[in-house]
Amino acid sequence: MLIYPKKKDKVFGSDTPYRIFVDQVGYLPDSRKIAVLPFPAELFAIIDENGDKLYEGEVRSFGHDECSGDDVYLADFSDFRRNGTYRVSVGGKTSTRFRIGESVYRKLFCDVSKAYYYTRCGHGLDERFAGKFAHKRCHTELAESLEDGTMLDIKGGWHDAGDYGRYVTAGCCACAQLLYAYKFFPEVFAKLNVNIPESGSGIPDILSECRWELEWLLKMQRADGAAYHKATTMRHAPFIMPEADKSKMYVFTVSSSATADLCAVCALASGIFRDFDQTFSNRLRKAAERGYQWLEEHPEFVGFFNPAGCDTGLYAEEGDIDNRYWAAAEMFALTGDAKYNNHFKALFSSPYFDGRSYIKTALGHNMIGGLGSLAYVLCDKPGKSEEVVAFLNELFTGEAYWLRDKAKKCGYASTLEDWEYYWGSNMSLLHSGMKFILANLMTGREEFYEYALEQLHVLLGKNTLGMCYVTGTGEYSPVRPHYRPSAADKIDEPVPGFVIGGPNRELSDPFAKDIIPVGTPPMKCYIDDERCYSLNEITIYWNSPAIFLLAGIEHHEALKNKDE
Ligand code: 9MR
Ligand code: ZN
């Protein structure tokens, strides 16, 4: 039994082992490189593995940083460009190890992409692909429909998160972000081999992984086109392996947000799979059309509620306009049909967005308008409104400037303000990273690219706890994620490659509430404890923005090297 620090006088989290904070994976040679110190100092050095000093610089004061509660000091070694493995050293203290090199993020990119394979459901994980994390087939039985008691085959897909549920809106969001990463950076994925059963099939691994989820999503569509909201047991399983979870599986009621998201992602995927598998592409297109037809016949919002006695995830939404906006955009992008264009334009002007235009760039499972906007901006079909496209480009760019200004105010260069440290704050951080990549592509401004990298640095250890929030990565990263297989598999290390939810000032679970003192600075509201699901869980839609961001970085670097 581990004894965690309990409420005490000094600030919770300030006794973290490394007190010089760097990106534990590393830095690209030409990029900005800043280590953060939460204590004053005059000089810092970069040392190699032998402890030899290779670079020296002056520490400068940033001032007080609200989110971390730290007085922040910066050690800038941007002009140190030599490839190698180093630590930052100040007085007797050192940072964790990190690398400088052109391809520093490649292994991480591979790991976060591979992570989806470990979440596959209805399937045994083969030792050839999963190594010691192999396990037997799980959740293969038919599931009972809560609508009419019929038994349905909904085998497959990815486990959502630390739990074994499978949720349609969450799955659509994750899958779509991966598909967009592919759409923007196909050449990057052409080279990515993550050693899954489909590797070498001629289809990029990322698309094979998406197909695993898409096949499940197709099963979650009712004959009339509506989508069931989720497939889970009635209550979350205890900390057992997935194959040991024998509780009865249910398919819950349909929702209009799940229907719209399923329609959208099938339309998106249909366009992409046209180049690889015409039959699959047609199946996806038919599903998208059926889904859309149901939406047309049901203009009212159909929300989702858990039945009595059920404690699995809700993914509740307050409305479905952003989901319908996304669906209309993808249908127009796929078919070029004027009907969808008109629907999209009408939704674009919906009063729902008045004073809330940020929903048109939002990339999350609960607000997904940004994917609709991307679909419309990228679409090459005649008849699209150039005025709308110009507006959306402005919106994405304007938001990137706003995010940049927020990052400038933070000692750690994070875009997150106090209030954004909620459940899954690392997702918001990564969405900022995605938005910087998009703004860099839209405007060519390199400053946006630098800030995209900064968000990655924050995730990977340049934060007030010095925690690298990806399992199996860096020298100091979570080893007790709220991830059932890792809690149950009797293997010391966690399954690698998962982005962790991260600090959450709202302390949304009873264990977090018990352990973390009220008033702890937001960026310190985190602990590596498997009970704390609101701090230390993993999800499929926290990895997907990391993949987009890392693919964007690979793409940028390849272009740069070509230019040189
Ligand atoms: O990621 C979700 C987060 O944004 C919400 O605040 C939270 C509470 O509703 O739910 C999170 O989603 C969980 C889902 O409901 C069930 N599987 C695990 C998800 C991550 O914790
Ligand atoms: Zn399963």
Side-chain angles (χ1 to χ4, degrees), residues 441-486:
L441 292 173
M442 285 171 176
T443 64
R445 280 186 71 96
E446 283 307 287
E447 186 187 17
F448 291 141
Y449 182 63
E450 279 296 343
Y451 278 98
L453 289 169
E454 287 292 5
Q455 306 318 297
L456 184 67
H457 299 330
V458 176
L459 181 83
L460 300 177
K462 187 193 175 211
N463 56 63
T464 182
L465 298 179
M467 179 62 78
C468 177
Y469 287 110
V470 181
T471 56
T473 304
E475 238 178 293
Y476 184 57
S477 72
V479 287
R480 288 182 195 83
H482 180 89
Y483 180 53
R484 279 171 176 67
S486 286

Side-chain angles (χ1 to χ4, degrees), residues 497-518:
F498 283 111
V499 172
I500 294 290
N504 168 9
R505 73 192 297 222
E506 293 170 7
L507 307 177
S508 321
D509 68 71
F511 310 101
K513 277 200 179 71
D514 186 41
I515 299 166
I516 297 182
V518 174

Side-chain angles (χ1 to χ4, degrees), residues 160-161 163 167 236 313-315 365 423 533 537-539 541-542:
D160 180 56
D163 64 320
Y167 308 80
H236 283 307
L314 264 181
Y315 290 116
H365 56 87
W423 194 325
Y533 48 83
E537 194 168 354
I538 65 112
T539 76
Y541 50 85
W542 296 340

Side-chain angles (χ1 to χ4, degrees), residues 335-558:
T335 65
D337 188 327
K339 173 177 90 172
Y340 303 119
N341 191 16
N342 292 335
H343 287 180
F344 176 80
K345 286 189 287 184
L347 288 161
F348 175 86
S349 307
S350 157
Y352 171 77
F353 292 115
D354 290 352
R356 294 196 285 185
S357 56
Y358 59 87
I359 299 179
K360 288 182 176 156
T361 58
L363 301 168
H365 56 87
N366 49 351
M367 280 194 282
I368 202 135
L371 295 185
S373 300
L374 278 186
Y376 201 73
V377 168
L378 292 183
C379 155
D380 57 2
K381 294 293 187 291
K384 81 169 173 178
S385 159
E386 290 308 330
E387 208 181 311
V388 169
V389 171
F391 177 93
L392 291 173
N393 275 319
E394 278 288 295
L395 206 61
F396 275 108
T397 314
E399 190 178 359
Y401 279 112
W402 176 69
L403 291 170
R404 177 206 61 182
D405 292 343
K406 296 204 308 168
K408 280 187 172 173
K409 286 194 201 116
C410 170
Y412 291 85
S414 161
T415 55
L416 302 190
E417 293 175 58
D418 278 26
W419 63 273
E420 286 166 293
Y421 285 86
Y422 39 65
W423 194 325
S425 63
N426 282 335
M427 177 183 84
S428 306
L429 188 73
L430 289 168
H431 285 177
S432 298
M434 277 180 77
K435 286 172 185 173
F436 282 129
I437 291 285
L438 290 169
N440 170 250
L441 292 173
M442 285 171 176
T443 64
R445 280 186 71 96
E446 283 307 287
E447 186 187 17
F448 291 141
Y449 182 63
E450 279 296 343
Y451 278 98
L453 289 169
E454 287 292 5
Q455 306 318 297
L456 184 67
H457 299 330
V458 176
L459 181 83
L460 300 177
K462 187 193 175 211
N463 56 63
T464 182
L465 298 179
M467 179 62 78
C468 177
Y469 287 110
V470 181
T471 56
T473 304
E475 238 178 293
Y476 184 57
S477 72
V479 287
R480 288 182 195 83
H482 180 89
Y483 180 53
R484 279 171 176 67
S486 286
D489 63 11
K490 301 200 176 72
I491 298 171
D492 285 345
E493 318 93 90
V495 180
F498 283 111
V499 172
I500 294 290
N504 168 9
R505 73 192 297 222
E506 293 170 7
L507 307 177
S508 321
D509 68 71
F511 310 101
K513 277 200 179 71
D514 186 41
I515 299 166
I516 297 182
V518 174
T520 298
M523 215 196 274
K524 288 195 167 79
C525 289
Y526 168 81
I527 186 163
D528 180 17
D529 181 324
E530 63 201 3
R531 297 168 302 173
C532 297
Y533 48 83
S534 76
L535 311 176
N536 212 26
E537 194 168 354
I538 65 112
T539 76
I540 52 175
Y541 50 85
W542 296 340
N543 265 50
S544 48
I547 292 170
F548 189 100
L549 173 56
L550 290 164
I553 294 170
E554 291 283 322
H555 170 81
H556 186 279
E557 293 310 298

Side-chain angles (χ1 to χ4, degrees), residues 120-122 138-139 159 164 166 242:
R120 286 190 187 188
C121 183
C138 60
H139 306 116
H159 298 135
Y164 295 135
R166 285 164 291 157

